[in-house]
Amino acid sequence: MIVYRDAHPDEAVAVRAIYVESFTDTFGHLYSPANYAIFMAGQDAPRWRAEIADPAFAVHVAADGAHLLGFAKLGPPSMPFDPGDRTAIELRQLYVRPETKGTGVGKDLMAWTVAEARRRGAQDLWLSVFTENQRARQFYERYGFVEVMPYQFMVGDQADEDIICKLALD
């Protein structure tokens, strides 16, 4: 039985492991070992622990017993977009284990993301998605996200072409 709940700071290593596994499975082939190592060095467990503990962030997990299946992380805006006079929050990550894709866990985590963004008073929910990640782009389009602008997502010294997207919540 899958249970959805807020992450605890002591789960930082397990949440990070989902991130690393999913990121590597989806994008790892795109990067040199040096760029990949530089990027992952910035994704260490203390950073994850600090963000999970920080009330400016919200991290929600899907668990099957003690086994984490996926997570969604909201946080303050970090990308170069102009929210104008609207209150914004950013979906920093939504990842599920590769074997969990297509089971509805991502859909459930996205429903939590939208509800939590609204609960926090956000008028707009922002995210970025890799231009070549068609599965993710279609997933976000189903929720009403619209493309706003291109974005250079850096992995080491490699710039990937992402798209910043927005969902109006009101």
Side-chain angles (χ1 to χ4, degrees):
M1 175 180 196
I2 299 172
V3 174
Y4 297 88
R5 59 175 174 73
D6 292 338
H8 303 285
D10 61 352
E11 295 177 301
V13 170
V15 175
R16 180 189 179 275
I18 294 169
Y19 174 73
V20 171
E21 178 185 20
S22 298
F23 186 90
T24 303
D25 183 66
T26 306
F27 306 113
H29 67 282
L30 299 172
Y31 309 113
S32 69
N35 280 336
Y36 181 84
I38 290 167
F39 180 75
M40 284 300 167
Q43 300 292 325
D44 63 4
R47 176 181 176 177
W48 280 88
R49 187 173 295 109
E51 288 181 352
I52 291 170
D54 185 341
F57 289 84
V59 181
H60 204 65
V61 297
D64 184 2
H67 183 67
L68 297 184
L69 304 173
F71 73 92
K73 179 170 63 170
L74 284 169
S78 66
M79 295 180 295
F81 61 81
D82 179 8
D85 61 353
R86 295 176 58 82
T87 306
I89 195 165
E90 186 177 311
L91 174 56
R92 297 287 186 93
Q93 287 112 8
L94 191 159
Y95 283 99
V96 298
R97 292 191 181 279
E99 69 273 12
T100 305
K101 289 181 180 176
T103 65
V105 169
K107 178 181 159 190
D108 292 341
L109 288 169
M110 191 63 183
W112 169 85
T113 298
V114 171
E116 181 65 12
R118 284 187 174 121
R119 189 188 74 73
R120 288 175 173 245
Q123 294 169 299
D124 295 322
L125 176 59
W126 295 78
L127 60 81
S128 73
V129 61
F130 182 48
T131 56
E132 295 179 31
N133 189 345
Q134 291 302 316
R135 182 181 184 128
R137 289 178 69 183
Q138 291 170 349
F139 178 80
Y140 296 128
E141 286 172 8
R142 284 195 301 270
Y143 287 90
F145 281 89
V146 295
E147 296 180 5
V148 176
M149 61 188 275
Y151 171 58
Q152 298 270 311
F153 182 83
M154 299 303 296
V155 176
D157 64 6
Q158 180 176 327
D160 284 339
E161 191 68 28
D162 273 25
I163 302 166
I164 293 177
C165 301
K166 176 179 83 167
L167 173 66
L169 298 173
D170 52 4

